[in-house]
Amino acid sequence: MTELESLGLAEQAKPSGARIGAGRPSVDVKARTGAYVLAVDLRVDGLTVARVGLGGVVQARATGPVPAGHDPEAIASSVVELMRLVVKDVDPGAALVGVGVGVPGIIRAEDGLVRLAPNLGWRDVPFAKILASRLGPVAAPVLGNDADLGALAEHLRGAGVGVEDLVYLSGEVGVGAGVIVSGHKLEGAGGYAGEIGHMPFLPDGKLCHCGAHGCWETEIGAEAIALAIGCPPERVGALGEFLEGVHDAPDDLRLVGRHLGRGLAGVVNLLNPRVIVLGGYLRSLFPLVHDDVESELAVHALIAPRELVRVTLPGLGGDSVLHGAAELAFEPLLADPVGCLAVACVDVDAALAV
Ligand SMILES: [Zn+2]
């Protein structure tokens, strides 16, 4: 019996055998009573908040717009409003054990400082602190890069279960990569690895939000896709619906597909992944330009790694980042159940009323 089971929090299903993050064995835990986390997927064009139980069970969810101008204080307030909605009918005895937030930017792990989120216009924004000031000490939020969290979740419960070498691409307004190599997350010296959207791609390309010209994301990100199908810039938040209405990809969209395939060839050559998962808007784009992506891969990826890779859609649909944020929030509980529950918050109304 595990510590979680002895505390009456969970009954353990069969272990999946997959490994995540820093090599922690993944445990498929079924929730029995109520330890839960609040998971936040903060995107440039929308907010999703969910109450998630052990084993990745989404118990309640709420979505909302991102306040205009991407003001961090206003976004934190919107997040807390959505949190109130998802805890409205929570079991009175259930314990909130963590808050995890996926952010499309470069995060300093130790204090949740957002060093750079170019598409939010954020530079050195202490978003963990700003959100924490609204939540009280029992629900200190932990921030993670959206693509890293997508990779974590797909590795644990999605298209990458049992796969030790995986790349998850978050295709939003910006494009990032979460990379798992030999079962371990690729971090880099400062934890900032994976900013593949800013890979120099076209010598005289468009101006990127990061300040450089010709980054890969200016050719395959949401704004490029929107331009290719005539979706007005102010409707980029509804790009998924626009893409669903496209049946024959116009030439401009097929060019986006070829740019996607050519960049992916670089990923294949550099990292030799077994699986590449296309998240965000790339999920809706890929079926429309599949042949263009594959033809560029065939030309530019080296045959040996090319033979081993599978480009696929997320197993968790549009929820990869949300599930990753939940996993991040559960980490303290899984590492130290007794210590974590000692400070867990049962009176969630009080926590959110601060
Ligand atoms: Zn850039």
Side-chain angles (χ1 to χ4, degrees), residues 48-353:
T48 305
V49 173
R51 166 158 56 91
V52 183
L54 282 161
V57 180
V58 175
Q59 300 169 343
R61 64 190 296 149
T63 57
V66 174
H70 297 137
D71 173 56
E73 300 278 350
I75 289 180
S77 297
S78 296
V79 166
V80 174
E81 271 171 40
L82 295 176
M83 285 177 169
R84 288 202 184 99
L85 291 178
V86 301
V87 301
K88 220 170 37 185
D89 56 354
V90 69
D91 270 356
L96 172 63
V97 296
V99 175
V101 186
V103 177
I106 300 172
I107 317 292
R108 191 164 71 190
E110 60 261 34
D111 59 359
L113 179 75
V114 180
R115 296 298 314 275
L116 178 69
N119 298 299
L120 291 171
W122 290 5
R123 197 175 284 270
D124 290 328
V125 170
F127 190 67
K129 242 182 231 167
I130 292 171
L131 188 56
S133 71
R134 288 162 167 78
L135 294 177
V138 288
V142 185
L143 267 56
N145 170 267
D146 59 349
D148 287 348
L149 296 180
L152 173 72
E154 286 296 322
H155 184 44
L156 191 57
R157 308 187 194 288
V161 171
V163 175
E164 299 287 283
D165 295 276
L166 168 145
V167 176
Y168 174 90
L169 281 194
S170 67
E172 301 290 342
V173 172
V175 175
V179 182
I180 292 173
V181 178
S182 302
H184 297 271
K185 183 178 142 195
L186 181 73
E187 307 243 19
Y192 309 141
E195 288 301 318
I196 200 159
H198 304 286
M199 175 173 68
F201 192 72
L202 289 182
D204 299 308
K206 295 172 206 152
L207 178 64
C208 180
H209 291 280
C210 76
H213 281 267
C215 295
W216 191 30
E217 73 181 38
T218 65
E219 299 301 325
I220 66 157
E223 288 170 4
I225 298 171
L227 193 64
I229 60 170
C231 166
E234 65 277 9
R235 299 291 312 281
V236 162
L239 187 56
E241 290 158 40
F242 274 85
L243 280 166
E244 270 168 34
V246 176
H247 297 295
D248 271 325
D251 286 348
D252 287 355
L253 195 66
R254 295 190 57 184
L255 180 62
V256 174
R258 288 199 295 281
H259 285 152
L260 175 61
R262 193 143 65 86
L264 288 181
V267 173
V268 169
N269 292 344
L270 180 67
L271 295 169
N272 184 201
R274 176 81 60 184
V275 169
I276 297 176
V277 183
L278 299 179
Y281 296 122
L282 299 177
R283 202 161 55 93
S284 309
L285 172 72
F286 185 49
L288 292 167
V289 297
H290 177 272
D291 293 351
D292 301 285
V293 172
E294 293 292 340
S295 67
E296 285 295 296
L297 272 172
V299 171
H300 294 287
L302 299 171
I303 185 81
R306 172 79 191 91
E307 284 173 351
L308 295 174
V309 73
R310 182 164 55 89
V311 181
T312 186
L313 300 180
L316 297 168
D319 283 347
S320 315
V321 176
L322 193 69
H323 277 280
E327 287 303 320
L328 186 66
F330 268 124
E331 275 177 4
L333 179 73
L334 296 176
D336 175 17
V338 174
C340 183
L341 283 173
V343 296
C345 175
V346 176
D347 187 358
V348 70
D349 289 338
L352 297 183

